[in-house]
Amino acid sequence: MAYRDELEAALARAEAAERILRSVCYVHSTVPATGLCGRCERRLCDTCTIETLEGTRCAACAARAPSRRYRPWIAAAAISAVVMGGLVSVLAIGGRRSDDRTLAEPTTGGVRKTTYWAETARDTLAKEPCSRPAAATLAKELNRLGDHAGNLAFTRDFQARCGAYPYLLWTNVYAHEQRGEWRAAADVAGALIADDPTDADFWWWRGSDVARLGELDQAAADYTQSLARRASLDIAWRLSEIAAKLGRTCDGAFALEYALAGRDLDDDAEARERWRNAYLNGGCSAFDGVGTDVVRVRPTAPGPGARGSIDGAVIAMVIDERSAYVVVTAAAADRAHLARRPGGVKIWAAGRFYDAQLAVAREMMVEKTRAAAVPVAVVDELPAGVDGVVGLAYLWRFAFDQRADAVTMAPLPR
C-alpha cells in the first residue's frame, strides 16, 4: 500500500511539473509563457518572442531565417537575458517563403493597447526626445500592437525633429505592407537600397512589394540582386515563383540550385524537389553553362576582365558576381541586334544604379565558356573601356569561384 501511495504521489508531482512546464517560457522557467513559436511551437515569454513577417519565432528558429538582421538582435537578447533577467525587447524583420501575409487591423474600441516597453520608450523620449534606442523600441512596439498608422506618424515626426534614422524605415516597410500600401512600402525599401545597396534584405523587401503591384520584371531583378548579395534559399524560392509567371522557369531553377549549393544549414528537401521539377520540366539542360576557363584579373580593368560576345558581337567585359544580370551598353546591344522589351527596371551594377531595359541574348560567350538564352539588362553607358558586366544570371549556370586574382568557371555537376 505504501508503494502505491508513493507511486501516486510521484505521478501527481509529474503532472504538476508538466502543468508548470506548459505555462512557462522554455528559456525562463519562472516566467509565464505568453505565446508559442510559430515554427517549433515552444512556449515563449515576451522577452523571448521575436516578431517576424512570418509570425512569432524563438531565437533558434529566427536564426534559421534568411535575414542577417536577426543575428545581432538575438545575440543582444541572449546577453541581456542573463545580465538583466531577460528585460530586453527584440526587433527582427525577416523573410517569408510566399507573400501570403494577412493584414493586421489597428486596435479599436477606444482603449489604447500598450506594452511595458512602449511606455518605457515613451517615458525615455519625453526626457530625451532624440533617443534612437527608445525610438526604435517604440516603432517596433507600435507595429507589434497593430498600430501601423501610429508607427508611420511617430517615425515621420521623429525624423523631422531629430534627423534621418534609416533603422526606423525598416519598421515603416512592414507598417505599409500591413496596411496594404505596397507602392509606399516599395518606395521606402527603395530609399533603403539607395542608402545601402550592399544590403541583401532591402532588395528582396522591394521585390516582394513590387510583385504585389504586378511589376514582375522589377521583382525578378530585385530578387536576383538580393541573391547576388546573399545566397538565400528563401529568396531563390520567391524568384522561382516570379520566373515561372514570366515564362522564365529555368532562371528560377538556376537560382534555386545556386542557393542550395551555398546552404549552411540542413538541406531543404522541398526546395530541392522544386528545383528538380523546374529543371526537368523546363528543359533547362539546354541552358546549362558549357566550357571551363579561368579568367585572370587585368590590372587596368575595374574587375576581372574578359573577352566575350553576345549574339556574335564582340564585347569587352568585367565579371562581377555582386551584380544581378549581364549588363551591356546600348551601343553593344545595338551591335548584337538585341531586341529590348518595353518598359524598364532599376538595377545595380559596377558600383552604381542604372535604369535598364531587358533583353535576352540567344547565345553568350565569356572566354571559353558559353550559355544560351541569357537575360541581359541594357543601359546607356558603363565605366570607360567596358562594354558589359557579367553578373550572377550568367555565372549561376556554372560552378564558379570568384577570387581576388581570378574567376574559375566550370560546368555544373549533374
Side-chain angles (χ1 to χ4, degrees), residues 97-392:
R97 173 154 288 175
S98 60
D99 295 317
D100 57 358
R101 293 162 290 167
T102 54
L103 302 184
E105 294 296 331
T107 303
T108 59
V111 178
R112 185 182 75 177
K113 291 180 64 177
T114 190
T115 66
Y116 168 81
W117 295 110
E119 293 308 308
T120 300
R122 287 189 175 100
D123 289 344
T124 300
L125 288 167
K127 302 171 185 174
E128 304 173 43
C130 291
S131 169
R132 288 191 168 193
T137 296
L138 182 55
K140 184 270 292 187
E141 291 298 308
L142 289 170
N143 273 346
R144 187 176 179 183
L145 291 165
D147 187 4
H148 306 300
N151 168 283
L152 296 171
F154 164 71
T155 56
R156 182 174 59 249
D157 292 345
F158 181 87
Q159 293 191 111
R161 182 174 66 250
C162 303
Y165 183 17
Y167 182 77
L168 293 183
L169 297 184
W170 301 3
T171 71
N172 287 173
V173 174
Y174 180 75
H176 281 304
E177 289 174 339
Q178 292 300 299
R179 288 163 59 88
E181 298 166 351
W182 309 111
R183 176 59 63 196
D187 289 345
V188 175
L192 289 167
I193 290 170
D195 182 66
D196 183 7
T198 67
D199 194 306
D201 293 342
F202 302 156
W203 289 98
W204 75 255
W205 292 355
R206 188 174 72 179
S208 296
D209 296 327
V210 296
R212 287 278 193 168
L213 294 166
E215 299 171 9
L216 301 188
D217 281 332
Q218 185 65 61
D222 286 347
Y223 284 146
T224 306
Q225 186 58 55
S226 181
L227 284 172
R229 287 294 167 181
R230 186 181 65 247
S232 162
L233 186 57
D234 186 90
I235 307 309
W237 185 286
R238 295 164 192 268
L239 177 56
S240 72
E241 295 176 333
I242 297 297
K245 293 177 182 178
L246 289 168
R248 291 157 43 188
T249 300
C250 293
D251 288 348
F254 287 122
L256 284 167
E257 188 171 21
Y258 169 73
L260 283 164
R263 292 279 283 172
D264 294 327
L265 305 175
D266 294 337
D267 193 10
D268 189 312
E270 185 182 8
R272 188 161 290 280
E273 183 65 20
R274 184 184 182 92
W275 161 76
R276 185 180 297 108
N277 290 337
Y279 183 81
L280 295 177
N281 296 336
C284 301
S285 60
F287 308 119
D288 279 341
V290 177
T292 301
D293 206 348
V294 177
V295 182
R296 299 293 177 184
V297 174
R298 295 177 181 174
T300 58
R307 293 168 298 177
S309 66
I310 289 181
D311 291 349
V314 176
I315 294 176
M317 299 179 173
V318 294
I319 300 176
D320 181 13
E321 65 172 323
R322 296 299 187 185
S323 297
Y325 288 143
V326 172
V327 183
V328 299
T329 63
D334 289 341
R335 295 201 306 273
H337 304 291
L338 285 179
R340 281 83 135 179
R341 294 173 56 181
V345 297
K346 297 182 182 301
I347 64 167
W348 188 89
R352 55 171 287 193
F353 295 99
Y354 294 91
D355 290 321
Q357 289 182 290
L358 296 180
V360 176
R362 293 188 302 276
E363 182 180 71
M364 177 173 169
M365 299 183 67
V366 178
E367 298 291 351
K368 298 177 183 178
T369 68
R370 61 183 171 85
V374 179
V376 175
V378 181
V379 302
D380 288 339
E381 59 181 14
L382 286 166
V386 177
D387 294 323
V389 177
V390 182
L392 186 62

